[in-house]
Amino acid sequence: LLSVVDRTITGAGARLLYHRITTPSQNLEIIEGRASAVQFFCNNSGIRISVRSALKQIPDIERALSRLAVGRGGPRDLGAISNGLVQATEVERLLKAQALPNLLTRVKVDLLGHDALCSKLDSALIAEPPLLARDGEFVAVSYSETLDEIKSLRDEAHSVIARMQAEYASASGIPTLKIKHNNVLGYFIETTAAHAQRMLAAPLSETFIHRQTTASTVRFTTVNLGEIETKILNASGRVSELELEIFENL
């Protein structure tokens, strides 16, 4: 029987039809409600074709929800839910001006009311998210200021340090000031001994912290430089942690 009557075009529709055939209702109101819905689409071929076309664009939300519910889902499942809910509004639009039987009237109402969730997922996810959260790189730019900052540190550490160097050179009035790095001190600010006296005196001494004096140079750090260095060193791991946190929150 199923092989003869099944003309469904979505996975969820196929499962629903299978369930209704294998466990048929004995409630006359439910049976008549379903029959009226079928009759409506039989009598309105234009709407039927349009609705079927819209349904073809809907991902399998049911499967996506099932995977997420048992902790086996990923960003692609969130994307499927987002795309499916957006497409549901198109189905509602197609039915909007029609005189519908009761079952379809109730269904139409359920297709709406997800704007906040759609907006949230749309702003959080890239257009084609990966299958697994651990694959990373699925969070859209500008969704998390913290994540964007850490990614910038990870991907553009040299540029970040160069900007800091320019800011410190301007603040201190020492154009020859440099930010350097070695395996012992990590990142440090270096200037000549002649210029160092200015940095060791107030008010610059409140910002620049002395670290080391050599024969020809003096080396400093700042609270911000120390924080940036830590972030750069931990950036890759922190990016993964933040993305997983965002996924769990979504």
Side-chain angles (χ1 to χ4, degrees), residues 166-177 191 195 198-199 204 208:
E167 290 170 4
Y168 288 147
S170 175
S172 64
I174 304 171
T176 56
L177 175 152
T191 188
H195 286 132
R198 186 188 308 175
M199 297 174 70
L204 292 180
F208 297 98

Side-chain angles (χ1 to χ4, degrees), residues 167-233:
E167 290 170 4
Y168 288 147
S170 175
S172 64
I174 304 171
T176 56
L177 175 152
K178 302 292 182 185
I179 295 181
K180 298 184 176 181
H181 181 274
N182 64 36
N183 292 333
V184 177
L185 295 180
Y187 285 98
F188 57 87
I189 301 161
E190 185 175 88
T191 188
T192 62
H195 286 132
Q197 294 306 313
R198 186 188 308 175
M199 297 174 70
L200 290 167
L204 292 180
S205 60
E206 297 175 7
T207 300
F208 297 98
I209 304 164
H210 178 261
R211 289 196 69 182
Q212 188 182 59
T213 300
T214 69
S216 59
T217 63
V218 181
R219 293 166 176 174
F220 298 84
T221 188
T222 67
V223 172
N224 286 345
L225 181 59
E227 291 175 350
I228 290 294
E229 179 177 17
T230 300
K231 288 180 178 179
I232 289 173
L233 293 174

Side-chain angles (χ1 to χ4, degrees), residues 63-189:
R63 285 285 172 84
L65 284 171
S66 296
R67 284 190 291 267
L68 290 166
V70 297
R72 296 177 62 186
R76 192 171 298 174
D77 291 309
L78 292 176
I81 292 170
S82 177
N83 295 337
L85 292 176
V86 169
Q87 194 62 23
T89 63
E90 172 62 13
V91 177
E92 192 276 341
R93 185 189 67 79
L94 294 170
L95 298 175
K96 196 167 190 176
Q98 306 301 319
L100 301 173
N102 290 338
L103 177 59
L104 293 181
T105 299
R106 294 196 299 271
V107 166
K108 187 182 71 167
V109 172
D110 290 338
L111 293 173
L112 298 181
H114 309 291
D115 291 352
L117 177 58
C118 289
S119 176
K120 180 81 168 178
L121 293 174
D122 182 61
S123 64
L125 299 171
I126 62 173
E128 296 183 9
L131 183 64
L132 303 173
R134 65 170 179 263
D135 292 338
E137 302 302 326
F138 57 85
V139 180
V141 175
S142 300
Y143 178 72
S144 167
E145 184 177 338
T146 302
L147 179 60
D148 288 346
E149 177 186 346
I150 296 174
K151 278 188 174 182
S152 176
L153 284 171
R154 182 196 64 185
D155 301 335
E156 304 173 26
H158 180 76
S159 299
V160 171
I161 293 298
R163 286 196 296 270
M164 290 192 75
Q165 178 177 295
E167 290 170 4
Y168 288 147
S170 175
S172 64
I174 304 171
T176 56
L177 175 152
K178 302 292 182 185
I179 295 181
K180 298 184 176 181
H181 181 274
N182 64 36
N183 292 333
V184 177
L185 295 180
Y187 285 98
F188 57 87
I189 301 161

